[in-house]
Amino acid sequence: MTFCISLTAPLISCRKSGSMEVKNSSGSPSGFILLGLSSNPQLQKPLFAIFLIMYLVTLVGNVLIILAIHSDSRLHTPMYFFLSNLSFMDICFTTVIVPKMLANLLSETKTISYVGCLTQMYFFMAFGNTDSYLLASMAIDRLVAICNPFRYDVVMNSKRCLLMLLGSCTISHLHALLRVLLMSRLSFCASHVIKHFFCDTQPVLKLSCSDTSSSQIVVMTETLAVIVTPFLCTVFSYFRIIITVLRIPSAAGKWKAFSTCGSHLTVVSLFYGSIIYVYFRPLSMYSVVKDRVATVVYTVVTPMLNPFIYSLRNKDMKRGLGKLRNRIYS
């Protein structure tokens, strides 16, 4: 006997006999169990301390980036407009995941409701995809600044920057809505244990007793459209930038041009590298341990490192943070 649960229907028990399947309603489901990063009780408190510190560093670092940009008029440029919104999205992105993970590390039940699971999945994808589009927007900004500097103010005007931001948010939320609606149609068998620290698509699909082949095709297709498009846009932008910079005769000029892109390129490599590893493989190749580690990189580590990467290698941001510090202590 196999027991099945549907996200959009009461609890359903399924008895299979040959090719026949009989289903009977018997109540409402309570939710999933999130195993987290480790099931070892001795590691729960150390992991709680580590991720609490990382979360607080992420919040403080990204808030400082936003305040520094908004308090310094010289940082009111397209690049820093996108950077401040990237910092805001990073705060939202990690807040969708980390607080629940921290609560589960101190809890014995480690449960999440069906509605809570779908809600977490929706906002995780919405904010994560917006991050991806913002990184692509920043790459386009650097492309225009280096390859067509005389038309930079015309091309990257405030209206176009705002439209790029709104377009990024709209596409990302539509993508998240489609994915959640797709997941809500699935039924889930005896095990409700998600071998992950949040409700991600791959581990949830692993639990389904429905035919997920069509779901996987749709997921892969629209993921290619939503993730690969900004990724290719970023790659193309840097390809054009490299060709343009190599034509600069002086070594000092080349270094100056590359230095404006170094921070962004570091973040792009961390973000897209881990995402491609996790999502662009068949479900049969999904590995619990390896994928959890890779997921931590883009959900927790990258948002935490962004403020350091952009401030330590950027003279304008250092000046802006210095002015903010002087205002706070004056």
Side-chain angles (χ1 to χ4, degrees):
M1 180 179 291
T2 306
F3 295 97
C4 298
I5 291 178
S6 173
L7 289 176
T8 55
L11 185 62
I12 297 172
S13 63
C14 309
R15 277 184 310 198
K16 295 182 181 178
S17 176
S19 61
M20 299 296 292
E21 185 179 73
V22 181
K23 301 183 179 181
N24 296 310
S25 177
S26 61
S28 297
S30 58
F32 289 115
I33 297 172
L34 293 168
L35 277 189
L37 290 170
S38 174
S39 57
N40 187 341
Q42 295 180 343
L43 293 177
Q44 302 304 299
K45 289 184 179 179
L47 285 172
F48 175 85
I50 291 169
F51 281 94
L52 177 61
I53 292 170
M54 293 174 73
Y55 180 56
L56 293 175
V57 169
T58 300
L59 292 182
V60 173
N62 283 289
V63 166
L64 286 175
I65 291 289
I66 294 169
L67 292 176
I69 290 171
H70 285 273
S71 63
D72 190 344
S73 59
R74 284 179 292 186
L75 296 179
H76 294 175
T77 63
M79 185 176 87
Y80 294 108
F81 168 77
F82 290 123
L83 177 57
S84 64
N85 281 283
L86 180 69
S87 293
F88 176 72
M89 290 299 162
D90 280 343
I91 292 171
C92 297
F93 188 46
T94 53
T95 300
V96 168
I97 298 168
V98 178
K100 180 61 179 175
M101 179 177 67
L102 293 174
N104 283 346
L105 284 170
L106 297 181
S107 171
E108 293 183 2
T109 57
K110 305 182 186 300
T111 59
I112 185 169
S113 68
Y114 286 124
V115 173
C117 186
L118 289 179
T119 301
Q120 187 183 60
M121 190 181 292
Y122 173 86
F123 285 107
F124 163 74
M125 287 184 289
F127 293 133
N129 291 334
T130 304
D131 258 8
S132 177
Y133 278 104
L134 286 175
L135 288 172
S137 299
M138 293 171 75
I140 293 170
D141 173 77
R142 292 298 83 203
L143 172 66
V144 177
I146 294 173
C147 300
N148 200 356
F150 297 110
R151 299 196 69 241
Y152 178 76
D153 291 335
V154 176
V155 175
M156 299 301 296
N157 58 63
S158 57
K159 183 179 178 180
R160 183 168 282 118
C161 290
L162 184 60
L163 286 174
M164 290 170 73
L165 174 63
L166 293 175
S168 300
C169 293
T170 302
I171 294 171
S172 299
H173 280 273
L174 289 175
H175 159 81
L177 180 62
L178 173 63
R179 181 76 65 86
V180 167
L181 289 174
L182 190 67
M183 297 297 291
S184 70
R185 296 171 61 87
L186 299 177
S187 296
F188 294 86
C189 295
S191 176
H192 308 151
V193 178
I194 298 176
K195 297 178 180 178
H196 215 315
F197 57 90
F198 73 102
C199 289
D200 199 5
T201 305
Q202 300 287 59
V204 173
L205 276 175
K206 275 278 191 179
L207 299 180
S208 177
C209 58
S210 304
D211 180 10
T212 61
S213 57
S214 58
S215 298
Q216 289 184 58
I217 293 171
V218 173
V219 166
M220 186 64 73
T221 303
E222 47 99 19
T223 299
L224 285 170
V226 174
I227 299 297
V228 173
T229 300
F231 173 70
L232 290 179
C233 182
T234 303
V235 170
F236 173 76
S237 297
Y238 274 103
F239 178 74
R240 288 282 309 277
I241 287 169
I242 290 170
I243 291 175
T244 302
V245 170
L246 291 177
R247 291 173 181 169
I248 299 174
S250 67
K254 290 178 182 178
W255 171 251
K256 184 178 179 181
F258 274 129
S259 65
T260 63
C261 305
S263 300
H264 181 251
L265 196 55
T266 304
V267 173
V268 165
S269 301
L270 280 171
F271 184 80
Y272 282 115
S274 52
I275 282 182
I276 289 170
Y277 177 82
V278 172
Y279 294 106
F280 291 91
R281 291 178 299 158
L283 191 60
S284 57
M285 294 179 64
Y286 176 77
S287 169
V288 175
V289 177
K290 291 181 180 179
D291 284 33
R292 277 189 298 202
V293 173
T295 304
V296 167
V297 173
Y298 76 87
T299 57
V300 183
V301 176
T302 303
M304 181 188 70
L305 292 180
N306 280 357
F308 297 99
I309 294 171
Y310 282 110
S311 60
L312 293 178
R313 301 184 61 184
N314 189 309
K315 292 180 180 179
D316 293 334
M317 278 305 308
K318 285 182 181 179
R319 186 182 63 245
L321 289 169
K323 289 181 66 176
L324 179 63
R325 181 190 60 200
N326 293 336
R327 286 189 180 185
I328 292 173
Y329 289 106
S330 61

